Amino acid sequence: MSSRITPAEHLKEVQNSFDDSMNPRLVEVLRAAVKHLHAFTAEVGLTHKEWFAGIDFLTQTGKMCDEVRQEFILLSDTLGVSMLLEMINYAASDGATEPTVFGPFHVDGAPNRKDGESIIDQIFPTDSPLAFSGTVNDLNGKPIAGASLDVWQVQSNGLYDVQQGASQRNLRGVFKTNADGSFTINTVRPIDYTIPDDGPVGKMLRASGRHQWRPAHIHMVVSADGFIPVITHLFDQASKYLDSDAVFGVRDSLIVDMSNGHCNYDFVLDSTRE
Ligand code: BEZ
Ligand code: FE
């Protein structure tokens, strides 16, 4: 007499199908992926109609991607996965500057700038000047000379330069700290802005009653020889979106006062370990 296969037995059969692979990590990842996918499907009692709506959503997400637009990363950001990856993969000790999302608007090869130089290459009538200074130190408070700060930020029209054309460059620069670990960057005060919302991710946000705003911030990658680089932002404490960032990137330790035309922040890097 034949008995019906249960969902648990079905899952085992699918998981075991990967076992002939020569790549143990791939097997581990795929076994866990199908375990959670099957559990999700059963937990919500997914209907055929919903499954096909999900497939259509992912198809549209793929169609939205090109060299400059990566809708899948935007999906990962808005579902909190990008931030979770930072949390589980960033190996620095407590006391080091906290990381946050990288975002899609970094450009390799930003101009090298001298200490105190302005990163403003294009002026907008809405610009409000900001002098951003601080230091880069190790965990013992010792200044790191020659540390690199690669900074980029949104313009005061709410767009990154690259959103206006691939060859546009504004509000970017790579700075090196002085012998005492200090730096000064002249820029404009960042503003709150919306993530690209004209694709499936925007639809998902609207359908779920979420907004598409990011609180005003300046991006930076801070690095130095022998130290773990940190990808992070500084957020303007005046923003009204600090508690509802569309990509869940805000950390209390990264919020600074940008009023009165200046802000200050001391970055801390952890040294690399063997
Ligand atoms: C950004 O801060 O530039 C950003 C981060 C995640 C998604 C979209 C934009
Ligand atoms: Fe940004």
Side-chain angles (χ1 to χ4, degrees):
M1 197 176 87
S2 71
S3 62
R4 289 192 181 212
I5 183 168
T6 65
E9 289 164 339
H10 172 59
L11 171 62
K12 277 266 160 312
E13 188 182 356
V14 179
Q15 286 183 311
N16 292 346
S17 73
F18 302 125
D19 286 351
D20 287 341
S21 165
M22 302 296 280
N23 182 339
R25 175 65 177 160
L26 179 68
V27 174
E28 184 186 357
V29 170
L30 286 173
R31 287 185 75 98
V34 295
K35 179 174 95 180
H36 292 284
L37 198 53
H38 285 217
F40 152 75
T41 308
E43 183 185 320
V44 301
L46 203 68
T47 65
H48 287 89
K49 197 171 163 211
E50 289 164 342
W51 180 236
F52 286 118
I55 287 177
D56 184 53
F57 176 80
L58 293 176
T59 305
Q60 298 308 322
T61 301
K63 286 186 179 165
M64 199 75 196
C65 295
D66 58 30
E67 301 78 49
V68 287
R69 178 75 177 260
Q70 230 306 347
E71 193 75 358
F72 275 111
I73 294 185
L74 208 55
L75 184 58
S76 153
D77 294 339
T78 51
L79 294 181
V81 179
S82 303
M83 212 40 218
L84 179 62
L85 276 174
E86 292 302 330
M87 291 159 77
I88 62 178
N89 283 303
Y90 182 63
S93 314
D94 281 355
T97 300
E98 284 192 274
T100 187
V101 284
F102 192 43
F105 298 123
H106 178 261
V107 170
D108 286 333
N112 291 317
R113 310 278 194 183
K114 291 197 172 40
D115 189 41
E117 195 179 325
S118 170
I119 59 172
I120 307 168
D121 287 326
Q122 230 183 302
I123 294 170
F124 289 83
T126 40
D127 283 352
S128 164
L130 180 77
F132 161 31
S133 58
T135 57
V136 181
N137 301 293
D138 70 12
L139 281 174
N140 299 315
K142 189 167 163 261
I144 305 175
S148 162
L149 288 109
D150 185 348
V151 298
W152 69 104
Q153 70 173 87
V154 76
Q155 305 172 134
S156 65
N157 66 352
L159 293 173
Y160 280 83
D161 53 2
V162 289
Q163 291 178 287
Q164 301 181 145
S167 62
Q168 301 285 316
R169 288 291 176 271
N170 188 29
L171 300 185
R172 296 177 188 277
V174 180
F175 291 80
K176 291 268 182 226
T177 53
N178 300 309
D180 62 354
S182 67
F183 66 87
T184 299
I185 298 167
N186 276 295
T187 182
V188 297
R189 189 171 178 178
I191 61 161
D192 300 332
Y193 68 90
T194 58
I195 61 171
D197 66 347
D198 54 342
V201 169
K203 270 194 193 151
M204 183 270 289
L205 293 177
R206 284 186 290 279
S208 56
R210 284 173 55 181
H211 69 68
Q212 64 279 58
W213 288 89
R214 291 222 65 206
H217 58 269
I218 303 175
H219 292 257
M220 63 280 304
V221 179
V222 186
S223 58
D225 285 348
F227 292 87
I228 302 169
V230 64
I231 296 169
T232 194
H233 311 349
L234 291 185
F235 294 93
D236 187 335
Q237 76 173 20
S239 171
K240 61 176 185 285
Y241 296 110
L242 290 171
D243 292 330
S244 63
D245 182 5
V247 304
F248 307 97
V250 180
R251 294 293 177 265
D252 287 350
S253 66
L254 303 175
I255 300 172
V256 295
D257 183 1
M258 295 187 182
S259 59
N260 303 321
H262 55 82
C263 73
N264 194 275
Y265 197 82
D266 296 327
F267 294 94
V268 178
L269 296 183
D270 190 6
S271 49
T272 50
R273 292 171 286 269
E274 286 308 310

